[in-house]
Each structure stands twice: as structure tokens, then as C-alpha cells.
Amino acid sequence: EAANEIHGTSNEGLVPSALTFRNNVVKSDGIGSQYIPLKVYSWNSQLGEQACIDGVLIENNTIDVPGIHGSISVNSVTGLYMINNTIKADKPLNEATQPVVISNSSIELIDGLNFEYKQNVSAVVNIVACEVDESNIKNINIIGENTAIPYSIK
């Protein structure tokens, strides 16, 4: 998790910027709580507010964690790049599970995302209130018989 620190009702920590998550393997039997294996966000940021985290690269990672709330969550980032990542979940979860959620961000590139979930979900990447050029969303590979669409933009 990468976020500014909050204590009570006040932000106390610095906002993270210029982050790189590269070549990690995250594996576990599952997460049943509200936690997500990879989460980048600014506390209390709202849709439509200026994104305050500047520059995030998520590259060559494998997340093999069945989590009811998905695998990757990004909020309030300018300059987001996601390249050659793999997300897996070999246990039934919930049809409402959103494997990747990106909100209130500017997406520069999503290229190469291998998706292998046992549970059918509506979309692999769920994009909400973001600046994105759809031509920069490429190579979302759905492995197996999952009925998900590659991405959804709202």
C-alpha cells in the first residue's frame, strides 16, 4: 500500500510520488477483508478532485491472491503506467469483484495484463472518472473461460 498517512481526520504524511512497483510476486491463500494486494491512493480523495500522486509504474508483477475486493486498486494518480503484469485468483470470489480498479487518475499506458480468475467477473480493468485514451489500453489477455470483458470505462 502506498498512501499519505492519516490520523483521525487529518492527513499527516507526505503524498507518495514517483513510485515503481517492479518484478514482485505476491502469493497467498486469499484475503477475506477489505484489503487489496496492491493499492495506491490518497486518503479521502474524491472523484473529480485533482490527482495528487505524480507518477506510478506497475511493471512485471504477479499477484496470485484471491481477494474479494480484487488485486490492484489505484486512485488519485497522474501518469499511471501498468506494463506486463499478471493477476490470478484460483478460488471462487464474487461476481461483483473488480480485479483492477483505477479511479480519478490519468492513465498513460496499460499494456500487457494477463488475467486468470476462476470467478467470472464483469470486467478485468474498471476505469472510473479517469483521463484515458483507449488506444493506450492494450493486450489484456483473459486466460481460461472467464466471461469478463477486458476493460470498462465509466
Side-chain angles (χ1 to χ4, degrees):
E1 184 171 290
N4 50 323
E5 181 182 357
I6 193 165
H7 182 71
T9 59
S10 301
N11 289 331
E12 292 187 346
L14 299 173
V15 175
S17 290
L19 301 171
T20 298
F21 299 91
R22 181 183 289 136
N23 299 330
N24 297 288
V25 175
V26 181
K27 185 171 176 59
S28 83
D29 292 336
I31 299 174
S33 65
Q34 76 275 11
Y35 296 105
I36 296 170
L38 176 55
K39 188 170 185 178
V40 179
Y41 65 104
S42 176
W43 280 94
N44 296 327
S45 64
Q46 303 296 314
L47 293 181
E49 290 181 348
Q50 181 176 355
C52 59
I53 300 170
D54 186 19
V56 174
L57 170 62
I58 302 171
E59 181 178 32
N60 295 328
N61 299 288
T62 299
I63 299 173
D64 187 359
V65 179
I68 195 76
H69 294 286
S71 299
I72 299 173
S73 177
V74 175
N75 180 28
S76 200
V77 170
T78 61
L80 174 65
Y81 293 82
M82 293 179 60
I83 302 168
N84 297 328
N85 295 288
T86 298
I87 57 174
K88 301 177 180 184
D90 63 357
K91 295 180 180 175
L93 297 168
N94 182 319
E95 287 186 24
T97 297
Q98 296 182 334
V100 178
V101 175
I102 305 168
S103 58
N104 203 46
S105 297
S106 65
I107 300 168
E108 297 298 326
L109 181 65
I110 297 173
D111 188 1
L113 177 60
N114 296 313
F115 170 76
E116 189 174 355
Y117 265 43
K118 181 176 184 177
Q119 176 70 52
N120 285 328
V121 296
S122 60
V124 177
V125 180
N126 299 273
I127 300 168
V128 181
C130 290
E131 294 177 22
V132 61
D133 179 343
E134 287 187 66
S135 68
N136 291 330
I137 303 173
K138 311 171 190 177
N139 303 312
I140 297 175
N141 306 308
I142 299 170
I143 299 166
E145 298 179 10
N146 200 293
T147 59
I149 61 173
Y151 63 91
S152 167
I153 299 176
K154 296 180 183 172

